[in-house]
Amino acid sequence: MCADDSSDYPRTEYTISVVDEQFRVTGIDPLDGEEFMIYDVGYDGESIRFVSLMPSTGRTGRNWMRIVEKDKIEYRFTFTERELWMRKPFTPKVLSSKDAEPNAPPNGGPATQLGDSRVAEEPPSVS
């Protein structure tokens, strides 16, 4: 099966079967034959869900399917990619007062106000 609007090559083939009254899911990348690791298979009476892991990439996906019509299923797939990040070297830099925030008050004095700050001396009279 593939998406209705897909002209793409199939990226994954899943086989779902029942063995000893339990759902069994296998998955393969049809381009290179690599098999997915499938785990956490569950069925709630309407939909089947499982987690797939591609060993070569470490990409993990959460899969969810339910039958909509005889030859049509609704399929949802969310994935997580794992990355390793490295901290860049960091050298603290002390800013001079002129490099600090431009509207900051000098030496803790009053801040410069922006815009119209007029305040009425008395509330308007009501007649």
Side-chain angles (χ1 to χ4, degrees), residues 93-107:
K93 184 165 87 172
V94 177
L95 299 175
S96 68
S97 60
K98 68 178 181 174
D99 294 331
E101 295 180 39
N103 291 329
N107 300 322

Side-chain angles (χ1 to χ4, degrees), residues 29-112:
D29 178 338
L31 293 179
D32 63 9
E34 184 175 5
E35 293 182 17
F36 286 88
M37 294 176 58
I38 306 290
Y39 58 95
D40 198 16
V41 178
Y43 180 68
D44 64 7
E46 183 180 320
S47 61
I48 188 168
R49 57 147 178 80
F50 56 93
V51 177
S52 57
L53 168 66
M54 179 56 70
S56 65
T57 63
R59 185 174 174 178
T60 300
R62 297 199 176 276
N63 302 264
W64 177 95
M65 299 178 194
R66 75 176 177 93
I67 296 173
V68 177
E69 295 174 10
K70 182 179 183 254
D71 292 324
K72 190 179 279 189
I73 64 167
E74 178 183 1
Y75 176 66
R76 297 179 195 164
F77 177 73
T78 56
F79 69 91
T80 302
E81 287 191 20
R82 182 175 177 263
E83 297 178 342
L84 293 177
W85 288 24
M86 301 296 290
R87 182 187 298 224
K88 289 173 118 180
F90 172 73
T91 305
K93 184 165 87 172
V94 177
L95 299 175
S96 68
S97 60
K98 68 178 181 174
D99 294 331
E101 295 180 39
N103 291 329
N107 300 322
T112 305

